[in-house]
């Protein structure tokens, strides 16, 4: 059987894909291309290749899961070390210290959730609470961590959340079209 050149490279494409989702996307594209060659038996051959790739993906799944967890941890490490978010925490801790409260510490899971909400507000332009399950303070408009925290200090409801008994927190910050969105969640 003559296999078109675009189909003969399929095993190489599959073996070089680090992301299984990308493998399946490329495989899907190749199978769709093969529909033109179905009468030559290429479509049947690709069905076998697809089954083989699926079986391999199941065998490789633990490595993929480990890589996804490593990627998630790397994203969290970057996020919890971001200078803007650290400044937000520092400013809120200064305010908490004035009242004799323990300082906030960054909780990576909460920080990731707060950042996702800040990103969502920036991408949609909607300014609303997230219902993340933690007391939350949000702000839109100030161009610095100092401006956001000062706004929260002058808002009795937000200030009360900032001074709540929780010591773990997550912070988020995102800008779109020059409008910053700020998020703090405290537990």
């Amino acid at each position: 059987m003559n296999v078109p050149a675009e189909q003969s490279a399929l095993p190489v494409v599959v073996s070089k894909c680090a992301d299984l989702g990308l493998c399946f996307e490329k495989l899907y594209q190749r199978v769709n291309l093969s529909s033109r060659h179905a009468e030559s038996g290429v479509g049947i051959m690709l069905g076998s290749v697809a089954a083989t790739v699926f079986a391999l993906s199941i065998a490789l799944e633990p490595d993929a899961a480990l890589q996804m967890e490593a990627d998630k941890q790397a994203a969290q490490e970057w996020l919890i070390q971001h200078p803007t978010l650290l400044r937000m925490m520092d400013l809120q801790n200064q305010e908490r210290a004035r009242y004799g409260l323990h300082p906030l510490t960054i909780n990576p899971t909460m920080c990731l959730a707060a950042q996702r909400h800040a990103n969502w507000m920036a991408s949609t332009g909607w300014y609303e609470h997230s219902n993340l399950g933690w007391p939350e303070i949000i702000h839109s408009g100030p161009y610095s961590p100092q401006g956001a925290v000062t706004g929260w200090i002058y808002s009795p409801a937000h200030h009360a959340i900032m001074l709540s008994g929780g010591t773990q927190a997550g912070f988020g910050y995102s800008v779109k079209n020059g409008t910053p969105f700020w998020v703090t969640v405290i537990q």
Side-chain angles (χ1 to χ4, degrees):
M1 167 179 11
N2 290 333
V3 177
E6 64 189 20
Q7 304 301 327
S8 64
L10 184 61
V12 174
V13 169
V14 171
S15 69
K16 290 187 177 182
C17 289
D19 177 16
L20 292 177
L22 182 60
C23 283
F24 285 117
E25 180 181 335
K26 288 187 181 297
L27 181 62
Y28 178 77
Q29 291 168 356
R30 300 270 184 197
V31 169
N32 279 342
L33 290 173
S34 73
S35 63
R36 296 179 299 197
H37 306 289
E39 62 278 359
S40 65
V42 173
I44 295 169
M45 179 201 68
L46 284 174
S48 298
V49 171
T52 303
V53 169
F54 179 72
L56 287 172
S57 71
I58 292 171
L60 296 175
E61 189 174 320
D63 289 340
L66 289 174
Q67 183 60 47
M68 286 181 5
E69 184 61 29
D71 291 346
K72 181 180 172 184
Q73 288 176 352
Q76 287 177 346
E77 286 299 317
W78 172 85
L79 186 61
I80 64 174
Q81 295 174 11
H82 193 280
T84 301
L85 302 184
L86 292 175
R87 181 72 177 139
M88 288 174 63
M89 182 177 67
D90 181 54
L91 291 166
Q92 290 182 55
N93 281 338
Q94 288 175 27
E95 182 66 9
R96 290 171 61 89
R98 289 183 44 217
Y99 291 85
L101 298 172
H102 292 286
L104 297 171
T105 58
I106 289 185
N107 175 307
T109 300
M110 294 172 71
C111 206
L112 191 58
Q115 184 61 49
R116 283 184 181 141
H117 186 57
N119 291 345
W120 177 83
M121 287 193 299
S123 70
T124 63
W126 291 13
Y127 176 68
E128 64 182 52
H129 288 280
S130 66
N131 297 318
L132 286 171
W134 302 296
E136 173 186 67
I137 49 181
I138 61 174
H139 210 324
S140 176
Y143 293 103
S144 69
Q146 180 70 52
V149 173
T150 298
W152 289 329
I153 290 171
Y154 286 105
S155 164
H158 291 112
H159 194 232
I161 292 171
M162 187 187 306
L163 299 179
S164 67
T167 59
Q168 294 186 27
F171 306 94
Y173 164 73
S174 189
V175 177
K176 183 166 184 186
N177 297 329
T179 302
F181 292 87
W182 306 89
V183 177
T184 295
V185 291
I186 299 174
Q187 170 179 294

